[in-house]
């Protein structure tokens, strides 16, 4: 999953990795990493233990791992084991059932004959029940199981769980509870990692940000069925409706990053992080760093006038294995104290990839520099780049200087306002700049002047298509004129228009932004756009006009092309200014950006284009994606975020978080419209501006948003006496019901300029309390229309419509929900 990006098609990067194994230099880590079954065993008979929602029973033998610093951290189990996982929340029950491929599943149970457990409490209980460990020689079968586990950790999980284990050994901060971590070779379901981590699932380093401090998980790394089958707060917390989130171990405040880009585009550099240590007695801090950027040196110093550098050990396994980086301090850091951490690295292959004719695509966008957190941890940045003189670079923040000496160019960029992540685009660029008075925004568009491979490819297709046309080999459909050729400069205008249109729309609906400049840069990846603070990466495809797309046979990509630019620009508001706190709130970034793209379409194509946008979204939400076992809307609620994407429900993440998330805002907009005002959207705009302003630079939850909507609640939304919107958010964001509306409406001339409207509107396929407010629209000739009023339907119900009213002329039809005011099946 890529953050703030928009994909279509599957274009997963394949990483080719070749590198020597790099040894860690901390002795405790080295011993921990080497620990294997050492011959000590404990026999267990009906040993039962509970870890949050898990219940295990073991009959067999625990083969203890060699102790490290006198402590045994884990054991291999061989024998007959069983476990059950009983989810607490209904949405977790649903997600588990979907992942298991069993619609009616409520408890997951399985058996196993091999497992590895890291759990000191389990070892203590086993000793109490089965007696002190018996010494002996390590059983081959136990060593074999351990090696199998380690192979999965390295080759499938690519996550160094030993870093997490090292933290339990070296970090002195008392965790609220001991760590439970296991690998279970299940028989019925795919083998999986199971854990109850008091520090939150993110502490295990499973490569996903914003897990929200949820402690209990089941993670499958199966090729097809992999993912978080279960991820939740502790049952105890859920029962009390109060969840704890453990503070981040380090809070990054300022980054000084000095990067050298070699003529072959390898990167090397030094990053100095100013951070506040979050826990007492910290010795191990994990880092985010792309596996091919190899650490060479690390040192730390307290923050002071003159840094006093002390060497720091570091961990980074071979790049093709579990290469997560971490630093190990020689002594414990104090909580709340500020430190500098200086990291030197080299050999960064494949951060930049040659895309032809002096153009490069930038990979590893979140981890090209070592960091202690992106997206939820804001920091300021000083960025210096050294590169060949003929090359250019556009980074986040503002360019401070750009100097050339001989064959070398040095560019300095500075982000004085805290950002969520640093990034850059690299290549040869031509700049087009426009300061838009109406929005107060300056849009810089950077295009590649050369002919990158992708443009060459596009033109080859175009030539082939036009030759085929001359030969009469192409059947139906209009094929573009044979002289159509694409060059990158002609694409800049379209990006500029997207930039200016989005800035204007966003200013009107969401208010002004602290930043008033954005750089739109071209990148040579098809079907993929991404937004970084003040820096947008757009695919060339986003700039192709309709004729060219048609010639290329890319008409299916039309919607993507129309929406990707505004969507990525909208992330400057939603995602970079106001950001979701956890993955449950991800729709506040993706859905809000998608909604903004809809508003931009309305600006350029009026209500018909806006309405067509929602019809497309509606269909996407209700449809069954290719290869899916069920329609997208049945995958689960918006609040399940990225976990909606499973082997059973491919496409559901996009349909629900992006499209249904956007629909939530559209439904609020329509419900909040006040037709007595010159601008009916005024209440909605005031609410959105309040939200964007109140939470600028902050991380927000869905509940924060609900409270802002409640501050601006309009009569149409006041369905409950308390004036709250629990009913709305419960059914649409935390629920997955989509109602079916059936209407049968007729209009008859009642004489004297009056018309009688009769018929029924029915809501079905909903739960008893499911409430909708359905407006009725009247259409006249030439496509003009008006809204007559609205009907409230609660539960499965049929309402009769019977009203007589004066209309200026004879209506052509009466339609309820004509503006997609309510999401329906
Ligand atoms: Zn996005």
């Amino acid at each position: 999953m890529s953050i703030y990006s928009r994909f279509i098609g599957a274009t997963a990067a394949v990483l080719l990795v070749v590198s020597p194994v790099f040894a860690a230099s901390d002795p405790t880590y080295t011993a921990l990493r080497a620990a294997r079954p050492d011959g000590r065993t404990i026999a267990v008979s009906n040993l039962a233990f509970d870890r949050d929602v898990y219940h295990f029973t073991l009959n067999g033998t625990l083969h203890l791992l060699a102790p490290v610093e006198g402590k045994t951290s884990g054991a291999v189990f061989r024998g007959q084991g069983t476990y059950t996982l009983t989810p607490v929340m209904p949405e977790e029950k649903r997600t588990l059932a979907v992942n298991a491929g069993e619609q009616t599943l409520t408890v997951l149970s399985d058996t196993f004959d091999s497992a590895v457990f890291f759990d000191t409490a389990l070892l203590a209980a086993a000793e109490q029940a089965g007696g002190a460990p018996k010494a002996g020689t390590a059983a081959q079968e136990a060593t074999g199981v351990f090696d199998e586990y380690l192979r999965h950790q390295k080759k499938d999980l690519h996550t160094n769980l030993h870093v997490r284990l090292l933290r339990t050994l070296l970090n002195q901060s008392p965790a609220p509870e001991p760590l439970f971590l296991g690998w279970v070779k299940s028989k019925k379901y795919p083998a999986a990692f199971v854990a109850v981590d008091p520090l939150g699932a993110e502490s295990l380093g499973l490569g996903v940000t914003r897990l929200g401090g949820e402690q209990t998980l089941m993670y499958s790394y199966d090729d097809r069925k992999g993912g978080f089958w279960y991820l939740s707060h502790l049952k105890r917390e859920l029962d009390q409706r109060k969840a704890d989130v453990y503070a981040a171990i380090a809070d990054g405040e300022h980054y000084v990053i000095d990067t050298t880009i070699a003529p072959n585009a390898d990167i090397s550099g030094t990053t100095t992080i100013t951070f506040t240590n979050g826990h007492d007695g910290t010795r191990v801090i994990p880092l985010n760093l792309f596996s091919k950027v190899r650490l060479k040196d690390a040192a730390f110093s307290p923050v002071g006038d003159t840094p006093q550098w002390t060497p720091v050990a570091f961990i980074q396994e071979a790049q093709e294995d579990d290469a997560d980086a971490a630093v190990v301090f020689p002594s414990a850091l104090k909580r709340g104290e500020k430190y500098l951490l200086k990291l030197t690295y080299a050999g960064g292959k494949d951060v930049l990839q040659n895309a032809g004719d002096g153009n490069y695509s930038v990979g590893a966008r979140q981890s090209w520099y070592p960091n202690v957190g992106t997206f939820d941890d804001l920091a300021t940045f000083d960025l210096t780049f050294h590169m060949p003189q003929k090359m250019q670079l556009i980074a986040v923040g503002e360019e401070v200087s750009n100097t050339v000496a001989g064959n070398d160019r040095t560019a300095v960029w500075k982000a004085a306002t805290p950002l969520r992540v640093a990034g850059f685009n690299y290549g040869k660029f031509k700049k087009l700049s426009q300061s838009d008075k109406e929005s107060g925004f300056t849009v810089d568009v950077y295009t590649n002047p050369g002919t990158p491979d992708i443009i060459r490819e596009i033109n080859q297709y175009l030539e082939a298509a036009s030759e085929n046309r001359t030969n009469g080999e192409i059947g139906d459909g209009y094929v573009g004129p044979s002289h159509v050729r694409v060059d990158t400069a002609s694409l800049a205008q379209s990006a500029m228009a997207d930039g200016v249109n989005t800035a204007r729309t966003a200013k009107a609906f969401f208010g002004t932004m602290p930043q008033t400049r954005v750089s739109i840069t071209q990148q040579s990846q098809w079907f993929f756009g991404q937004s970084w603070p003040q820096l947008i990466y757009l695919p060339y495809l986003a700039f192709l006009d309709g004729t060219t797309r048609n010639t290329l046979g890319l008409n299916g990509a039309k919607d993507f092309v129309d929406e990707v630019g505004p969507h990525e620009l909208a992330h400057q508001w939603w995602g970079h200014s106001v950001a979701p706190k956890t993955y449950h709130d991800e729709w506040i970034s993706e859905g809000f950006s998608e909604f903004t793209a809809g508003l931009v379409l309305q600006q350029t194509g009026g209500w018909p284009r806006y309405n067509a946008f929602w019809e497309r979204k509606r269909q996407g939400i209700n449809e069954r994606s290719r290869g899916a076992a069920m329609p997208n809307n049945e995958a689960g609620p918006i609040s399940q975020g990225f976990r909606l994407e499973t082997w059973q429900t491919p496409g559901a993440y996009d349909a629900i978080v992006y499209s249904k998330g956007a629909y939530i805002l559209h439904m609020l907009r329509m419900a909040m419209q006040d037709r007595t005002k010159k601008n009916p959207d005024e209440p909605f705009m005031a609410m959105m501006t309040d939200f964007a302003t109140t939470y600028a630079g902050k991380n927000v939850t869905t509940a924060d948003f609900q409270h802002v909507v409640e501050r601006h609640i309009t009569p149409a939304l006041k369905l409950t006496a308390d004036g709250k919107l629990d009913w709305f958010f419960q059914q649409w964001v935390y629920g997955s019901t989509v109602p079916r509306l059936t209407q049968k409406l007729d209009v008859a001339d009642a004489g004297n300029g009056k018309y009688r409207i009769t018929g029924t509107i029915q809501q079905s396929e909903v739960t008893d309390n499911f409430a909708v407010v359905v407006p009725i629209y009247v259409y006249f000739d030439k496509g003009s229309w008006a809204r007559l009023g609205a009907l409230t339907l609660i539960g499965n119900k049929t309402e009769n419509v019977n009203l007589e009213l004066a209309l200026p002329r004879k209506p052509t039809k009466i339609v309820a929900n004509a503006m997609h005011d309510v999401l329906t099946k």
Side-chain angles (χ1 to χ4, degrees):
M1 183 191 64
S2 190
I3 288 177
Y4 304 155
S5 57
R6 198 77 174 90
F7 283 103
I8 58 169
T11 51
V14 176
L15 300 177
L16 296 169
V17 278
V18 188
S19 93
V21 173
F22 201 85
S25 51
D26 176 73
T28 310
Y29 173 74
T30 309
L32 183 67
R33 183 78 176 182
R36 296 278 187 290
D38 68 353
R40 292 176 300 148
T41 56
I42 304 174
V44 287
S45 164
N46 278 324
L47 179 66
F49 62 100
D50 293 284
R51 296 291 179 268
D52 190 40
V53 292
Y54 286 109
H55 179 77
F56 280 86
T57 53
L58 305 179
N59 277 295
T61 309
L62 287 167
H63 303 259
L64 307 190
L65 302 183
V68 177
E69 303 208 328
K71 289 176 197 152
T72 301
S73 56
V76 168
F77 169 78
R78 287 282 294 158
Q80 291 172 315
T82 65
Y83 78 93
T84 58
L85 193 185
T86 311
V88 185
M89 305 297 280
E91 59 271 28
E92 283 301 325
K93 224 169 262 177
R94 177 81 197 135
T95 299
L96 194 60
V98 169
N99 275 297
E102 294 166 37
Q103 289 281 337
T104 55
L105 180 137
T106 54
V107 177
L108 187 96
S109 350
D110 210 344
T111 57
F112 56 92
D113 52 26
S114 303
V116 175
F117 294 111
F118 297 97
D119 181 347
T120 47
L122 168 63
L123 300 182
E127 223 175 297
Q128 206 166 35
K134 287 197 181 73
T137 39
Q140 213 173 355
E141 55 164 27
T143 309
V145 169
F146 190 80
D147 287 346
E148 188 183 348
Y149 143 73
L150 202 55
R151 196 167 60 244
H152 288 301
Q153 173 177 316
K154 288 181 184 176
K155 301 296 181 190
D156 298 317
L157 203 60
H158 293 291
T159 300
N160 191 345
L161 298 173
H162 284 90
V163 170
R164 177 67 187 91
L165 297 171
L166 187 68
R167 287 171 67 178
T168 64
L169 280 175
L170 295 183
N171 287 0
Q172 289 151 24
S173 178
E177 279 167 56
L179 168 72
F180 165 67
L181 175 61
W183 172 73
V184 181
K185 200 176 168 184
S186 310
K187 288 192 168 163
K188 182 175 177 193
Y189 301 108
F193 285 89
V194 293
V196 181
D197 188 337
L199 303 184
E202 40 278 88
S203 294
L204 293 169
L206 285 168
V208 183
T209 51
R210 293 197 273 237
L211 294 181
E214 292 175 329
Q215 301 97 328
T216 305
L217 67 93
M218 176 176 173
Y219 187 86
S220 164
Y221 51 84
D222 186 81
D223 273 352
R224 199 162 78 90
K225 302 183 177 180
F228 283 96
W229 282 35
Y230 187 78
L231 178 60
S232 187
H233 278 288
L234 301 175
K235 179 179 188 314
R236 183 185 70 223
E237 296 176 334
L238 297 171
D239 290 345
Q240 295 167 358
R241 302 179 66 91
K242 188 182 169 297
D244 288 325
V245 177
Y246 216 59
I249 192 159
D251 177 12
E253 186 177 297
H254 183 62
Y255 287 77
V256 179
I257 306 174
D258 193 294
T259 307
T260 299
I261 304 172
N264 71 356
D266 282 5
I267 72 161
S268 57
T270 300
T271 292
T272 306
I273 310 171
T274 307
F275 72 95
T276 304
N277 173 43
H279 298 181
D280 265 328
T282 299
R283 284 198 53 209
V284 184
I285 293 185
L287 302 171
N288 302 315
L289 183 62
F290 182 47
S291 59
K292 292 192 201 178
V293 178
R294 306 301 300 178
L295 285 174
K296 297 293 175 202
D297 193 34
F300 86 110
S301 164
V303 169
D305 292 341
T306 320
Q308 307 284 319
W309 295 108
T310 306
V312 172
F314 57 89
I315 297 167
Q316 192 182 30
E317 294 292 334
Q319 58 178 274
E320 63 274 25
D321 290 345
D322 47 347
D324 311 279
V327 283
V328 185
F329 295 88
S331 54
L333 307 187
K334 292 197 184 92
R335 190 170 78 164
E337 295 277 300
K338 272 186 193 160
Y339 298 90
L340 299 174
L341 177 62
K342 185 162 74 178
L343 301 148
T344 306
Y345 41 91
K349 281 193 193 307
D350 299 334
V351 168
L352 293 170
Q353 283 167 334
N354 195 333
D357 207 8
N359 300 288
Y360 286 83
S361 69
V362 183
R365 288 180 187 160
Q366 270 172 272
S367 55
W368 61 275
Y369 61 100
N371 65 73
V372 293
T374 53
F375 289 98
D376 49 2
D377 185 11
L378 285 85
T380 49
F381 292 86
D382 287 342
L383 304 162
T384 302
F385 297 93
H386 311 277
M387 69 200 98
Q389 173 269 327
K390 59 182 186 202
M391 302 305 288
Q392 282 168 299
L393 183 144
I394 300 123
V396 297
E398 304 289 337
E399 191 175 52
V400 178
S401 69
N402 190 327
T403 51
V404 170
N407 288 328
D408 301 319
R409 180 188 296 276
T410 299
V412 179
W413 290 71
K414 210 176 171 71
T417 311
L419 303 180
R420 296 176 187 279
V421 63
F424 64 94
N425 203 355
Y426 181 68
K428 291 177 181 166
F429 295 107
K430 215 173 118 197
K431 180 176 169 182
L432 183 74
S433 186
Q434 187 181 328
S435 289
D436 178 50
K437 274 214 181 78
E438 191 183 324
S439 63
F441 237 76
T442 299
V443 181
D444 296 334
V445 177
Y446 292 89
T447 53
N448 304 125
T451 309
D453 294 349
I454 187 165
I455 294 290
R456 216 186 304 278
E457 267 172 48
I458 289 173
N459 282 325
Q460 275 165 8
Y461 280 122
L462 287 171
E463 263 162 43
S466 76
E467 274 165 30
N468 288 344
R469 188 178 61 135
T470 328
N471 298 339
E473 285 172 15
I474 283 194
D476 301 336
Y478 171 76
V479 176
S482 58
H483 64 265
V484 170
R485 282 186 66 82
V486 176
D487 64 68
T488 60
S490 68
L491 305 177
Q493 285 298 341
S494 134
M496 181 61 78
D498 274 352
V500 170
N501 284 337
T502 310
R504 287 179 182 179
T505 300
K507 194 195 170 196
F509 277 82
F510 319 134
T512 45
M513 275 268 286
Q515 276 91 23
T516 54
R517 189 189 59 77
V518 68
S519 299
I520 303 176
T521 64
Q522 288 187 334
Q523 65 159 15
S524 50
Q525 282 149 303
W526 291 79
F527 298 112
F528 174 48
Q530 207 169 31
S531 188
W532 251 214
Q534 291 182 267
L535 173 65
I536 315 261
Y537 303 88
L538 280 190
Y540 284 107
L541 198 66
F543 307 122
L544 300 182
D545 61 28
T547 308
T548 311
R549 278 197 314 266
N550 194 355
T551 311
L552 289 171
L554 286 172
N555 275 333
K558 182 184 180 302
D559 302 331
F560 171 77
V561 170
D562 286 344
E563 293 157 26
V564 67
H567 176 101
E568 297 306 335
L569 279 144
H571 274 312
Q572 297 301 314
W573 280 261
W574 313 119
H576 290 305
S577 177
V578 178
K581 195 162 202 167
T582 76
Y583 72 92
H584 298 295
D585 315 301
E586 190 71 27
W587 71 284
I588 292 177
S589 168
E590 298 301 352
F592 279 46
S593 293
E594 199 71 353
F595 169 74
T596 311
L599 290 178
V600 174
L601 292 187
Q602 183 182 4
Q603 196 192 340
T604 53
W607 279 97
R609 199 166 181 214
Y610 182 69
N611 208 20
F613 174 82
W614 294 112
E615 175 56 18
R616 245 181 9 253
K617 297 291 159 202
R618 189 187 72 79
Q619 288 174 14
I621 293 161
N622 289 307
E623 84 184 1
R624 185 190 295 247
S625 297
R626 202 193 308 179
M630 65 196 77
N632 289 321
N633 64 310
E634 288 177 21
I638 289 173
S639 55
Q640 288 298 83
F642 73 94
R643 296 177 57 214
L644 291 163
E645 194 79 0
T646 71
W647 65 286
Q648 291 275 73
T649 54
Y653 170 61
D654 190 278
I656 302 304
V657 173
Y658 286 65
S659 299
K660 192 180 170 192
Y663 228 114
I664 302 292
L665 286 191
H666 170 64
M667 289 194 282
L668 286 173
R669 178 193 182 190
M670 298 315 286
M672 289 176 82
Q673 282 202 336
D674 181 348
R675 268 146 234 284
T676 65
K677 292 197 154 55
K678 190 166 157 246
N679 173 8
D681 282 321
E682 211 179 281
F684 177 75
M685 287 168 154
M687 181 275 289
M688 292 299 286
T689 302
D690 184 2
F691 182 60
T693 315
T694 306
Y695 290 101
K698 298 197 173 95
N699 302 326
V700 294
T701 63
T702 300
D704 294 330
F705 178 61
Q706 182 182 331
H707 293 147
V708 174
V709 187
E710 284 167 355
R711 277 212 287 271
H712 297 263
I713 195 164
T714 55
L717 287 168
K718 241 184 217 166
L719 292 196
T720 54
D722 61 6
K724 296 215 164 133
L725 284 167
D726 291 332
W727 68 272
F728 183 89
F729 283 83
Q730 282 301 329
Q731 69 187 33
W732 291 116
V733 181
Y734 303 107
S736 51
T737 299
V738 175
R740 183 178 297 281
L741 284 184
T742 315
Q743 51 181 302
K744 203 178 164 302
L745 296 171
D746 289 313
V747 59
D749 194 335
N752 299 324
K754 290 193 167 175
Y755 295 87
R756 178 159 291 277
I757 296 163
T758 53
T760 56
I761 300 176
Q762 183 194 36
Q763 172 169 257
S764 57
E765 300 177 29
V766 294
T767 45
D768 287 350
N769 294 323
F770 200 95
V772 292
V773 182
V774 188
I776 298 171
Y777 294 85
V778 55
Y779 278 75
F780 304 102
D781 52 359
K782 293 182 188 143
S784 67
W785 51 271
R787 187 176 183 271
L788 294 181
L791 209 66
T792 302
L793 293 162
I794 297 172
N796 295 296
K797 191 170 190 183
T798 305
E799 281 285 351
N800 290 315
V801 179
N802 188 355
L803 51 127
E804 193 176 278
L805 50 140
L807 293 171
R809 54 189 189 276
K810 186 177 170 23
T812 53
K813 60 179 173 177
I814 307 289
V815 185
N817 204 30
M819 292 298 137
H820 294 82
D821 311 70
V822 175
L823 171 62
T824 58
K825 283 222 173 83

